Amino acid sequence: METDLNSQDRKDLDKFIKFFALKTVQVIVQARLGEKICTRSSSSPTGSDWFNLAIKDIPEVTHEAKKALAGQLPAVGRSMCVEISLKTSEGDSMELEIWCLEMNEKCDKEIKVSYAVYNRLSLLLKSLLAITRVTPAYRLSRKQGHEYVILYRIYFGDVQLNGLGEGFQTVRVGTVGTPVGTITLSCAYRINLAFMSTRHFERTPPIMGIIIDHFVDRPYPSSSPMHPCNYRTTGEDTGVTCPSVEDSQEVCATSFSTSPPSQPAALGAGSADLAHPVVFAAGLNATHPHQLMVPGKEGGVPLGPSQPAHGAQADQERLATYTPSDGAHCAATPSSSEDAETVSNGSEGRASPHDVLETIFVRKVGAFVNKPINQVTLTSLDIPFAMFAPKTLELEDADPMVNPPDSPETTSPLQGSLHSDGSSGGSSGHTQDDFVMIDFKPAFSKDDILPMDLGTFYREFQNPPQLSSLSLDIGAQSMAEDLDSLPEKLAAHEKNVREFDAFVETLQ
Amino acid sequence: MPAHPTLERTPSRVAPGWGEAPPSLLWSLTSAWATDCKMNCRSEVLEVSVEGRQVEEAMLAVLHTVLLHRSTGKFHYKKEGTYSIGTVGTQDVDCDFIDFTYVRVSSEELDRALRKVVGEFRDALRNSGGDGLGQMSLEFYQKKKSRWPFSDECIPWEVWTVKVHVVALATEQERQICREKVGEKLCEKIINIVEVMNRHEYLPKMPTQSEVDNVFDTGLRDVQPYLYKISFQITDALGSSVTTTMRRLIKDTLAL
């Protein structure tokens, strides 16, 4: 049994430990990005996948890790720590977890470096993948975006557990014995999240114009700066955003409210330079701010369930969320009854960040709003054949939301076109009997030789007979007759019970 | 990023001294070794209490986590008995009925196979009409080729048993609480699994090319888990299933 490691083994071991440390940091930070991670298996070895695991490398994270390691390796008394913390939109921050990669003196001289140590390090990374999804900070990080962000910090040296509050818990991910010491990977995490919930409820007044600059760099005294855990890992693009991330300190302060018909508000051109998420939140249901916030990560799902105060006449506020980072999710979520133009509609058809930031908002009149805007002309109304709509109609009357039309009235635009040759003027609300059409020239039809042209078709099928089941005659049948006929119906059904059973079987 | 060394190793024999036994001692060695392995077989038991619709996801979470640790990349053997290993990808899976996310190996074939058997388990639980108790077993084994007329033996070296208790909940509020509680419980189970994995106890030695099918399941396209089999049974309140026990007894007797 050799007591000294030969030089090749020693070199290999050092390399393994170094890359293990780098991969550990990648796994931890990627698990706190707030997104689901997915990498592909590859049956043929690529030669660049350390520990036979497909773990992507975010360049900035590698850079930070190497900076923290500064050419050294985790050793006894020199642990590598990754600190995960949470920072709210108001600037409060709280440490959530500390992941420690430590080395102790207990050596395993008999283990083979290039074989067993490598495999066990691979197994430890798999365990780390599993454990990072299991600590409380994972669920918090999946919901990050608007009220808070998750930041990471890497440091080397002594583990500092003071910031985790009282009663923090520890979970050991695993250990690997090597000829120079035993590598231990563990996590200490805060369980006292009471700070979070009290701050949450303190924010009862509506949140107007909260802006989160996720990439503000506030280095703590005598410690490494915090970094956010929420940018896309799309390879080259991260390199582009990184420099601006570190440098920019600008904050874009714009908020929306609907009290006056707002003047067009252009998102400042200055913000186009910033690659950070900009959030405008008009708090409606302040007790449930989460419901209003569109999580940009989820692909800009437009707000469905949580509706604002349904006062029909109430001023309504707009909610728009942008996360113009690499993937450029832009979700503008108007409240349901507004007709206002939005920058982009949901997650389909994303504009590039540049386009989004420079679009101008123009408000159109919406339903339930009592302020007619004179400059909106008929032509800009969203009804078909607006040109043919009777011009004597008021704006609000024409709006189908305000005056739900009766069935004949839905054809009013068409009627307008029908009357294009004949009389014009108020035709709303007429029944068919009042029409006297001499020369029927429907739109888009050619008046040619075919016997069955569009006009004829239209005339003939304009008044179809009513469905017998809908006619009132059947309803006139009395209840007593109904009950009387029941036994016969039951008997008939019972006879057919086998068929029904067979049918049910086919459904299962 | 500098490439890591392509690990080329010379694997050692699967079982020490196996091939050297003289034929006359074959039989006794088989049974002795088999008994040894059976006695050394690690057995881990996990228990979960879930609502009916959570059964599938809870089982998949546990099984996938175990298989994540017990799968490697595909082996590619080269001349001189060396081999290289493919890459295993991973992906996060969010559960719909539990506040929980687990990591699984990126292999659609493996996922399909697990979902199939978990689906059968869920259906059996539902149709049993009993107390809603059941268990699934994930068994890792090695194949021992025997000479004619003896068939190949399957020697388990690790067995994971997950016992499930299905509860029925009445109100939506209870269900919501159950979502969170089961999520927390599963977190604990994952930590337990990782603890066991971390003990670095017996693992089959890396096989030669001719023996690889006795240790690994080489039938999948992108990953290579250790040979495993999954079985389940619906149990009564005493934790035993009469039919299965009888069947197993008979099978074991005949196998010997």
Side-chain angles (χ1 to χ4, degrees):
Chain A
M1 166 167 66
E2 56 178 17
T3 47
D4 290 349
L5 219 51
N6 68 40
S7 65
Q8 182 57 44
D9 273 350
R10 183 69 210 231
K11 263 196 251 174
D12 283 346
L13 185 61
D14 286 345
K15 216 188 325 182
F16 293 169
I17 295 177
K18 174 183 163 198
F19 281 102
F20 179 75
L22 295 176
K23 287 295 180 183
T24 295
V25 175
Q26 289 288 348
V27 168
I28 295 169
V29 173
Q30 287 175 27
R32 299 288 174 261
L33 282 178
E35 307 172 323
K36 293 205 295 192
I37 305 294
C38 178
T39 56
R40 296 186 56 187
S41 302
S42 159
S43 66
S44 15
T46 58
S48 62
D49 288 324
W50 275 94
F51 308 105
N52 307 119
L53 283 174
I55 298 173
K56 288 205 179 95
D57 283 321
I58 303 178
E60 214 222 27
V61 175
T62 307
H63 174 70
E64 286 301 317
K66 284 185 173 163
K67 215 166 66 171
L69 286 173
Q72 296 178 316
L73 289 178
V76 180
R78 284 200 320 256
S79 312
M80 188 187 75
C81 301
V82 181
E83 179 188 288
I84 301 289
S85 59
L86 178 150
K87 189 168 120 179
T88 65
S89 52
E90 290 150 358
D92 298 314
S93 75
M94 179 168 73
E95 274 177 38
L96 295 177
E97 301 172 320
I98 313 256
W99 297 83
C100 307
L101 179 59
E102 301 167 299
M103 181 82 103
N104 69 27
E105 288 148 347
K106 184 165 162 222
C107 300
D108 183 348
K109 299 279 184 199
E110 292 178 13
I111 199 168
K112 286 210 142 302
V113 169
S114 67
Y115 170 65
V117 171
Y118 192 83
N119 279 345
R120 289 186 182 184
L121 288 174
S122 175
L123 197 69
L124 189 51
L125 272 178
K126 290 176 184 169
S127 298
L128 181 65
L129 280 164
I131 296 283
T132 42
R133 275 61 173 173
V134 146
T135 53
Y138 181 71
R139 299 223 72 82
L140 281 175
S141 68
R142 287 293 297 271
K143 294 181 194 153
Q144 70 178 298
H146 307 281
E147 295 189 357
Y148 60 86
V149 284
I150 304 292
L151 307 174
Y152 74 94
R153 181 169 78 93
I154 309 173
Y155 63 89
F156 202 68
D158 286 326
V159 185
Q160 296 153 20
L161 297 173
N162 310 330
L164 291 177
E166 283 178 17
F168 63 85
Q169 290 199 347
T170 320
V171 61
R172 193 166 75 161
V173 182
T175 60
V176 172
T178 75
V180 299
T182 301
I183 297 171
T184 309
L185 187 51
S186 60
C187 171
Y189 58 93
R190 167 190 285 273
I191 49 171
N192 181 15
L193 292 168
F195 158 74
M196 270 301 295
S197 42
T198 47
R199 295 299 307 183
H200 198 69
F201 290 129
E202 270 169 29
R203 271 192 278 130
T204 36
I207 309 161
M208 299 293 281
I210 304 278
I211 288 84
I212 300 173
D213 183 345
H214 289 180
F215 292 82
V216 166
D217 195 9
R218 284 201 212 128
Y220 293 162
S222 73
S223 72
S224 52
M226 297 293 240
H227 298 276
C229 290
N230 64 347
Y231 46 79
R232 296 276 170 324
T233 61
T234 47
E236 298 79 64
D237 287 344
T238 51
V240 171
T241 54
C242 286
S244 58
V245 161
E246 302 282 61
D247 301 337
S248 78
Q249 298 272 338
E250 283 180 274
V251 172
C252 176
T254 317
S255 67
F256 280 90
S257 75
T258 62
S259 358
S262 52
Q263 54 257 21
L267 291 178
S271 63
D273 297 333
L274 305 175
H276 56 243
V278 173
V279 176
F280 310 93
L284 292 152
N285 264 337
T287 50
H288 301 284
H290 264 298
Q291 290 176 319
L292 299 179
M293 304 300 179
V294 173
K297 306 279 169 294
E298 306 293 319
V301 174
L303 259 189
S306 150
Q307 294 302 332
H310 281 294
Q313 311 301 323
D315 288 345
Q316 289 159 358
E317 294 173 302
R318 154 135 9 119
L319 202 69
T321 312
Y322 300 99
T323 51
S325 47
D326 301 352
H329 281 307
C330 301
T333 57
S335 46
S336 62
S337 43
E338 269 192 294
D339 284 346
E341 226 168 43
T342 57
V343 174
S344 68
N345 298 317
S347 50
E348 274 72 53
R350 269 159 224 174
S352 70
H354 195 65
D355 292 343
V356 165
L357 292 173
E358 290 184 348
T359 311
I360 297 186
F361 281 95
V362 174
R363 301 227 31 243
K364 283 205 273 191
V365 64
F368 306 138
V369 173
N370 269 341
K371 297 164 191 168
I373 295 185
N374 297 328
Q375 64 265 31
V376 178
T377 63
L378 276 171
T379 50
S380 64
L381 283 175
D382 250 357
I383 53 173
F385 306 113
M387 288 302 296
F388 301 107
K391 295 186 173 43
T392 53
L393 287 177
E394 287 295 333
L395 269 167
E396 283 177 301
D397 286 343
D399 193 330
M401 292 294 276
V402 174
N403 264 345
D406 313 319
S407 31
E409 201 168 353
T410 49
T411 60
S412 58
L414 195 52
Q415 288 170 15
S417 66
L418 293 178
H419 285 284
S420 59
D421 266 19
S423 54
S424 64
S427 56
S428 56
H430 291 179
T431 62
Q432 297 304 323
D433 300 335
D434 290 342
F435 282 169
V436 176
M437 286 188 291
I438 297 160
D439 207 358
F440 180 26
K441 283 199 170 72
F444 303 130
S445 78
K446 287 192 211 171
D447 53 340
D448 65 269
I449 32 258
L450 286 174
M452 183 68 154
D453 69 348
L454 183 62
T456 325
F457 173 81
Y458 188 82
R459 236 171 309 159
E460 281 188 39
F461 292 97
Q462 193 142 46
N463 268 332
Q466 261 207 322
L467 290 174
S468 60
S469 56
L470 293 179
S471 74
L472 292 172
D473 301 327
I474 295 190
Q477 205 177 27
S478 73
M479 175 79 102
E481 289 173 31
D482 261 344
L483 285 175
D484 284 339
S485 64
L486 259 180
E488 299 161 16
K489 290 187 189 161
L490 276 176
H493 289 322
E494 266 178 5
K495 257 198 326 186
N496 298 334
V497 96
R498 262 185 229 273
E499 285 177 38
F500 290 134
D501 282 341
F503 173 67
V504 170
E505 293 276 315
T506 62
L507 289 177
Q508 283 177 349
Chain B
M1 170 84 104
H4 78 99
T6 32
L7 275 266
E8 317 232 318
R9 341 152 160 175
T10 319
S12 57
R13 269 198 295 258
V14 179
W18 174 244
E20 292 150 33
S24 56
L25 290 173
L26 198 69
W27 172 239
S28 55
L29 272 174
T30 313
S31 57
W33 198 78
T35 326
D36 271 344
C37 274
K38 269 214 173 66
M39 284 164 62
N40 290 340
C41 172
R42 256 194 316 280
S43 178
E44 308 293 336
V45 180
L46 302 163
E47 293 189 38
V48 288
S49 269
V50 295
E51 210 197 345
R53 60 186 186 165
Q54 296 171 323
V55 168
E56 212 173 336
E57 288 176 336
M59 298 309 300
L60 282 171
V62 170
L63 295 175
H64 268 302
T65 303
V66 173
L67 276 166
L68 168 70
H69 289 82
R70 293 284 180 249
S71 301
T72 72
K74 297 282 290 179
F75 283 12
H76 295 274
Y77 285 94
K78 304 176 186 173
K79 50 190 194 298
E80 296 147 18
T82 56
Y83 62 95
S84 55
I85 308 183
T87 303
V88 172
T90 57
Q91 61 187 72
D92 291 333
V93 182
D94 286 336
C95 294
D96 292 327
F97 300 111
I98 314 175
D99 285 344
F100 188 69
T101 302
Y102 61 91
V103 182
R104 69 166 173 92
V105 165
S106 287
S107 166
E108 294 310 317
E109 289 172 279
L110 187 62
D111 190 38
R112 266 201 301 272
L114 287 188
R115 281 180 186 272
K116 180 159 176 283
V117 70
V118 168
E120 290 168 10
F121 174 61
R122 175 206 61 210
D123 291 339
L125 261 182
R126 199 190 297 156
N127 298 335
S128 69
D131 307 323
L133 288 167
Q135 64 185 51
M136 287 193 88
S137 291
L138 170 58
E139 179 185 294
F140 292 101
Y141 64 94
Q142 274 178 254
K143 266 201 266 195
K144 280 269 71 65
K145 293 248 186 280
S146 308
R147 291 203 195 155
W148 187 88
F150 308 112
S151 58
D152 293 346
E153 273 185 271
C154 296
I155 321 285
W157 51 271
E158 189 175 72
V159 178
W160 294 85
T161 306
V162 189
K163 295 192 173 165
V164 176
H165 176 216
V166 180
V167 296
L169 297 175
T171 69
E172 199 50 48
Q173 195 180 10
E174 281 177 22
R175 279 189 207 110
Q176 185 58 37
I177 297 174
C178 189
R179 270 185 81 99
E180 294 163 12
K181 283 261 158 359
V182 171
E184 288 167 19
K185 277 285 166 214
L186 281 178
C187 290
E188 287 173 29
K189 301 304 161 197
I190 303 300
I191 295 177
N192 292 346
I193 294 172
V194 163
E195 236 177 313
V196 172
M197 297 295 180
N198 176 56
R199 287 185 212 147
H200 301 302
E201 291 169 342
Y202 173 79
L203 277 182
K205 291 208 171 58
M206 287 301 148
T208 58
Q209 191 167 11
S210 53
E211 301 264 309
V212 70
D213 289 312
N214 293 341
V215 176
F216 286 102
D217 178 355
T218 52
L220 298 176
R221 239 175 337 141
D222 36 18
V223 295
Q224 193 174 284
Y226 281 100
L227 278 175
Y228 72 93
K229 58 169 97 140
I230 303 182
S231 57
F232 62 83
Q233 58 191 71
I234 309 302
T235 55
D236 57 21
L238 296 172
S240 59
S241 161
V242 178
T243 45
T244 327
T245 316
M246 282 308 300
R247 218 182 289 145
R248 201 187 298 147
L249 270 174
I250 295 167
K251 228 190 195 174
D252 282 349
T253 325
L254 286 177
L256 284 173

